[in-house]
């Protein structure tokens, strides 16, 4: 597929030409193969994220659950909110993340007695960024850790937003579209993307 071609070309460039451009081609290839609905093509470049930071990329309106939520209540929230994961917060503080996959570890008959705090991934195991982190750094975090979301925490370690691959793709789409309109060229990227913890 096209993503594999980009990855191969990027690896070749890293070893025989320009390391930075090679790495970006590999990242682009990974984004294309990882984002099911993305239509990114080779027009995606480092310039698309230049000057953007985490606070500009992140989704601010978030659905969360408390550590004391039962797995049964959590399963209902998955259905109602149509998410496959939630940040777990104690007040404003991020304490973990829980996903649909985590619920599968618990037998159905124990859902009423099992709490989210018992099955969640703790905060220390999550990938986090500050609001001032650059968009490029966020994309590198995702690629390096092979993850689909980065949690944005303020100086008090409170959760202020989440950045997903879709958020990054949307930012690139907007930037590429704006550049195309300014130059009189048609927009070069077409995609639909989901935000938040989807």
């Amino acid at each position: 597929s096209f993503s594999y071609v980009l990855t191969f070309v990027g690896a070749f460039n890293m070893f025989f030409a320009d390391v930075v451009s090679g790495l970006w081609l590999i990242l682009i290839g990974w984004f294309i193969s990882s984002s099911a609905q993305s239509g990114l093509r080779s027009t995606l470049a480092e310039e698309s994220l230049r000057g953007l930071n985490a606070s500009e990329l992140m989704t601010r309106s978030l659905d969360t659950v408390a550590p004391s939520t039962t797995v049964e209540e959590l399963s209902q929230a998955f259905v109602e909110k149509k998410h496959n994961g939630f940040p777990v917060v104690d007040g404003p503080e991020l304490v973990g993340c829980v996903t649909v996959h985590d619920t599968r570890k618990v037998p159905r008959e124990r859902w009423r007695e099992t709490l989210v705090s018992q099955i969640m991934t703790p905060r220390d195991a999550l990938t986090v960024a500050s609001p001032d982190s650059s968009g490029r750094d966020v994309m590198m975090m995702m690629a390096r850790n092979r993850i689909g979301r980065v949690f944005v925490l303020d100086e008090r370690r409170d959760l202020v937003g989440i950045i997903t691959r879709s958020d990054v793709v949307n930012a690139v789409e907007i930037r590429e579209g704006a550049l195309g309109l300014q130059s009189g060229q048609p927009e070069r990227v077409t995609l639909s993307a989901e935000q938040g913890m989807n």
Side-chain angles (χ1 to χ4, degrees), residues 22-167:
L23 178 60
W24 272 94
L25 285 174
I26 292 174
L27 290 175
I28 293 165
W30 178 77
F31 259 61
I32 293 173
S33 62
S34 299
S35 301
Q37 298 187 35
S38 71
L40 286 179
R41 300 194 293 266
S42 59
T43 53
L44 176 60
E46 184 175 358
E47 293 297 322
S48 298
L49 292 178
R50 187 180 297 278
L52 294 179
N53 59 30
S55 65
E56 295 169 299
L57 293 171
M58 69 187 185
T59 297
R60 298 172 183 270
S61 178
L62 304 174
D63 294 313
T64 63
V65 296
S68 59
T69 303
T70 67
V71 173
E72 183 168 64
E73 293 169 334
L74 176 67
S75 67
Q76 295 171 356
F78 283 140
V79 174
E80 292 172 1
K81 300 296 185 179
K82 297 180 173 60
H83 295 329
N84 62 23
F86 287 101
V88 184
V89 297
D90 184 3
E93 181 183 1
L94 178 70
V95 294
C97 174
V98 66
T99 67
V100 170
H101 178 73
D102 294 323
T103 65
R104 295 172 184 157
K105 305 172 187 176
V106 184
R108 180 65 181 83
E109 60 272 15
R110 293 182 53 202
W111 279 14
R112 288 189 177 183
E113 62 191 61
T114 304
L115 305 180
V116 163
S117 59
Q118 297 173 270
I119 65 170
M120 69 182 187
T121 301
R123 182 180 67 185
D124 291 345
L126 302 177
T127 300
V128 301
S130 71
D132 294 330
S133 298
S134 71
R136 182 179 184 275
D137 286 346
V138 170
M139 185 174 177
M140 293 283 284
M141 289 178 192
M142 290 181 175
R144 184 170 57 248
N145 297 309
R146 300 189 66 82
I147 55 173
R149 60 180 70 97
V150 172
F151 298 86
V152 184
L153 308 183
D154 65 14
E155 64 277 2
R156 297 183 301 274
R157 307 289 289 175
D158 292 344
L159 179 66
V160 293
I162 293 176
I163 302 172
T164 67
R165 281 191 300 262
S166 295
D167 292 320

